[in-house]
Amino acid sequence: MATTVCAVGLLITGGAMQWALHTGTGAAPATAPGPGGDRGDGGTGASATPVRLQLPPVTLDVDGFSSWALLDRRTGEIAGSSNLDAPSDTMSLIKVWLAADFLRRTEYPDQRSLNRLIIMIRDSDNKAAYEFYERNGGREGIERMVELCGLTESEPYRIDGYWSNTVVSARDVVRLGACLADGRAAGPHWTDWLLTQMRLVRGVGDFGPRAVFPPEVASTIAIKNGWLLRAEDKLWHLACLAVTDKWAMSVLLRYPSRYGFDHGRELCASVAEQLKPALP
């Protein structure tokens, strides 16, 4: 069993704020270049206000791959595991982008389309995802996500049509969360509507970071998760996204099938449980 332990803090160095990631071998900077240069603002364009955020150690006991990231939406700063830039895949998490991309480019969507979007987000309907992936232009729609949201490790899968294989990193998933929440992804008219659908996710897809909060708080957290036991590698693949008006959090996992789906659900929640005392 491989154990990942990391502690993250927001430090004041030379009068400027800097995220630092502490591991057993010392400190390494975790601030990522943003789309506008080296500001590391996660694509939010937020100014660096002097907010001090201390994050506790995060431990994940995983027989496989794990990566996580946290974005402070007040400052745009990103921190996370030492491999927060490592590639994984989205599974159903990408459905929230498929919805946003369609809504931003469609001035007056018909009611049937809106109903299809609702079941794609709330119930993670795969047939609806195939439909909107095609209506958005397939790989071109994923390329728009990379450009519009300022993602640096993400790309469409090499074969068109495989939307669930979209490549992302934990760092890019929180950038996507900020892009959804600030209106860039769905546009000003549809952003609130889309975030409402994300808060109403139900059934098997209702898990991840918001599970550790009391109901009155959990109901305010927008989420979208992905999960799949892939036949090609016999590994569970999970991707968790949670977004509030203060922060965005992501967890990416891959682990052997014998551990089951619930193991991944618990790991996604575990990251939030460990970070919760320090969340703004």
Side-chain angles (χ1 to χ4, degrees):
M1 299 286 280
T3 301
T4 302
V5 181
C6 37
V8 188
L10 185 59
L11 308 179
I12 307 299
T13 305
M17 288 200 308
Q18 174 184 333
W19 283 98
L21 179 125
H22 304 272
T23 65
T25 57
T31 301
D38 63 358
R39 68 190 182 203
D41 63 7
T44 64
S47 61
T49 55
V51 179
R52 187 175 179 83
L53 182 62
Q54 295 291 342
L55 300 184
V58 171
T59 302
L60 282 175
D61 193 6
V62 184
D63 181 9
F65 169 86
S66 68
S67 179
W68 65 271
L70 177 72
L71 183 152
D72 186 341
R73 292 193 58 209
R74 303 167 303 172
T75 65
E77 300 294 333
I78 300 173
S81 57
S82 59
N83 63 342
L84 82 175
D85 59 347
S88 195
D89 47 353
T90 61
M91 291 72 61
S92 290
L93 189 151
I94 197 63
K95 291 170 181 173
V96 72
W97 167 258
L98 300 180
D101 192 36
F102 174 79
L103 291 167
R104 189 188 66 261
R105 298 179 307 108
T106 308
E107 188 173 3
Y108 299 108
D110 59 89
Q111 190 58 51
R112 177 197 174 274
S113 294
L114 291 177
N115 291 341
R116 297 286 286 163
L117 292 173
I118 287 172
I119 65 170
M120 183 173 71
I121 301 302
R122 295 192 197 181
D123 303 314
S124 209
D125 186 271
N126 285 335
K127 291 181 179 179
Y130 281 108
E131 174 186 336
F132 286 102
Y133 177 82
E134 293 298 330
R135 292 176 75 173
N136 292 345
R139 287 169 54 92
E140 292 180 4
I142 306 301
E143 290 167 353
R144 282 194 296 272
M145 176 185 74
V146 172
E147 181 178 1
L148 183 64
C149 298
L151 310 185
T152 54
E153 291 91 42
S154 300
E155 60 184 2
Y157 189 60
R158 65 180 186 274
I159 303 173
D160 198 11
Y162 286 74
W163 47 265
S164 81
N165 297 69
T166 298
V167 177
V168 291
S169 66
R171 176 165 64 186
D172 274 353
V173 172
V174 293
R175 287 170 170 163
L176 173 60
C179 189
L180 292 161
D182 66 23
R184 283 174 291 154
H189 183 71
W190 288 103
T191 293
D192 287 345
W193 185 91
L194 180 59
L195 291 174
T196 295
Q197 306 315 313
M198 294 172 66
R199 294 183 187 107
L200 294 173
V201 167
R202 58 199 174 191
V204 67
D206 184 7
F207 64 93
R210 80 172 178 186
V212 307
F213 294 91
E216 64 273 16
V217 176
S219 64
T220 70
I221 301 176
I223 67 167
K224 194 72 187 86
N225 300 309
W227 64 99
L228 184 63
L229 177 57
R230 289 202 178 277
E232 56 267 36
D233 60 11
K234 297 180 175 58
L235 300 177
W236 275 104
H237 292 228
L238 271 77
C240 299
L241 168 65
V243 186
T244 75
D245 59 349
K246 300 283 195 310
W247 51 264
M249 187 184 303
S250 67
V251 185
L252 300 178
L253 303 166
R254 298 191 301 273
Y255 57 86
S257 60
R258 64 180 179 273
Y259 291 104
F261 174 42
D262 286 344
H263 178 62
R265 290 163 54 104
E266 292 165 3
L267 288 170
C268 278
S270 172
V271 173
E273 185 67 58
Q274 294 175 73
L275 293 175
K276 185 168 65 170
L279 290 175

